[in-house]
Amino acid sequence: MWVVVAFFAISLVVTLVAFFIWRGKTERHDDPPWELSSLAGQHVFIMAGLAGFAVTGIVLTVGLLQGRSTSSVALSTVVVMMFVAYFFYVGNAFLFSYFLPNRKASKNVPSRVHFALGSTIEYRTLFVSWLALMPLLDAYGLDLPRQVLGWLVPASMVFGAVIVMVVTASVGLMRIREVVVTMILAAVLAHGYGILVHAFLPGLRWEFSSMAVAIIIFGLNGAGFMLAALAPLSVRYPAVETFFEKHGRRIVIADLVSTVISLSLLGLAVAGTI
């Protein structure tokens, strides 16, 4: 329960701090290093393959539950996390397949916001499915693979964060220094909560923390999906383009903050820290 409160409290604090620190800054409107519509189309195939991985994980886990009188919390958590991953592998494929074509007639902010939000949805969803492997190994007492995975997944999250950093900076919605400082601040506060619970308040640990954070990520992905899905309407409705030009940078900052905090808390949850 407290992990939910912690997520919203830390997200609110970091987002407000980021808005304050980076106030007065504006997005850059020079062309990104990629043709966004073409790159988005390539991601559709990646999402399709990952959706198959998530379905396979669900089928295997449910199969392993057969013959058990009761399902363990760990295996139930795996199934929920894989469901979350599957829904948004498919959803993000649709989001990228309907990507707003590149336009030269405007600042092109809606398509940049669309691509940034789609990229963070992909990043969150990928690590939900990978982190789901940790409670699966826990459920079957596979300690050595669990220990190895405990190093490999966090390292992969850092590598993936570099891609998110590059994408966010390259589409011009945040500068590289802004992205780095915001991500570090969000990660430090989220892990600070983990240290607080682990060292001083063990009573705040909750066996359903991983499941709760996965559902939070489902909500974040849904919100990002709905916002990004509005982007194509900017072609016909000037008010939509005005909305993105006015609020697009703030949306991306808040989305980046929530991404780092939610995945940090999910990693702490599957590790049993919170």
Side-chain angles (χ1 to χ4, degrees):
M1 178 63 183
W2 285 104
V3 69
V4 178
V5 176
F7 168 78
F8 286 106
I10 296 171
S11 297
L12 178 62
V13 169
V14 178
T15 300
L16 292 177
V17 169
F19 285 171
F20 178 78
I21 294 174
W22 313 126
R23 69 190 186 282
K25 302 289 186 180
T26 59
E27 62 271 6
R28 300 168 63 93
H29 296 130
D30 49 330
D31 290 336
W34 318 285
E35 180 66 31
L36 294 184
S37 56
S38 174
L39 184 58
Q42 295 175 29
H43 276 267
V44 173
F45 298 101
I46 297 174
M47 294 291 99
L50 291 172
F53 160 71
V55 168
T56 302
I58 294 169
V59 171
L60 290 176
T61 305
V62 172
L64 292 170
L65 288 171
Q66 290 183 352
R68 288 175 171 250
S69 57
T70 57
S71 61
S72 68
V73 173
L75 290 177
S76 297
T77 299
V78 173
V79 173
V80 170
M81 292 174 70
M82 284 297 186
F83 270 134
V84 171
Y86 173 72
F87 288 148
F88 279 99
Y89 284 142
V90 175
N92 215 37
F94 278 108
L95 191 65
F96 276 136
S97 66
Y98 287 104
F99 192 78
L100 181 66
N102 190 27
R103 294 181 296 133
K104 304 297 184 181
S106 71
K107 297 176 181 178
N108 211 14
V109 173
S111 61
R112 296 169 190 258
V113 174
H114 185 135
F115 191 82
L117 292 177
S119 297
T120 50
I121 290 173
E122 183 175 354
Y123 177 64
R124 286 192 297 261
T125 304
L126 177 63
F127 284 101
V128 167
S129 61
W130 285 6
L131 285 167
L133 298 175
M134 297 176 74
L136 179 62
L137 295 176
D138 284 337
Y140 288 93
L142 299 173
D143 293 334
L144 182 58
R146 169 66 173 76
Q147 292 174 12
V148 173
L149 198 65
W151 287 100
L152 294 180
V153 173
S156 299
M157 290 175 71
V158 173
F159 300 151
V162 173
I163 296 178
V164 171
M165 177 183 67
V166 170
V167 169
T168 307
S170 295
V171 296
L173 295 164
M174 296 178 69
R175 289 161 176 77
I176 190 71
R177 183 169 66 91
E178 297 171 352
V179 178
V180 172
V181 172
T182 300
M183 293 179 77
I184 290 175
L185 179 61
V188 167
L189 288 187
H191 283 84
Y193 172 75
I195 293 172
L196 178 67
V197 172
H198 181 72
F200 304 105
L201 299 170
L204 297 185
R205 287 181 189 149
W206 189 31
E207 62 178 343
F208 296 106
S209 289
S210 299
M211 197 178 300
V213 179
I215 293 172
I216 288 173
I217 291 176
F218 180 91
L220 292 175
N221 284 357
F225 181 94
M226 288 187 290
L227 283 169
L230 293 175
L233 295 177
S234 63
V235 176
R236 291 180 177 272
Y237 300 97
V240 175
E241 182 155 9
T242 300
F243 169 80
F244 281 111
E245 289 181 355
K246 185 176 181 180
H247 302 292
R249 177 174 153 82
R250 293 189 184 92
I251 290 171
V252 169
I253 292 174
D255 181 65
L256 181 66
V257 168
S258 63
T259 297
V260 175
I261 293 172
S262 61
L263 287 180
S264 296
L265 292 177
L266 185 59
L268 293 169
V270 298
T273 303
I274 58 175

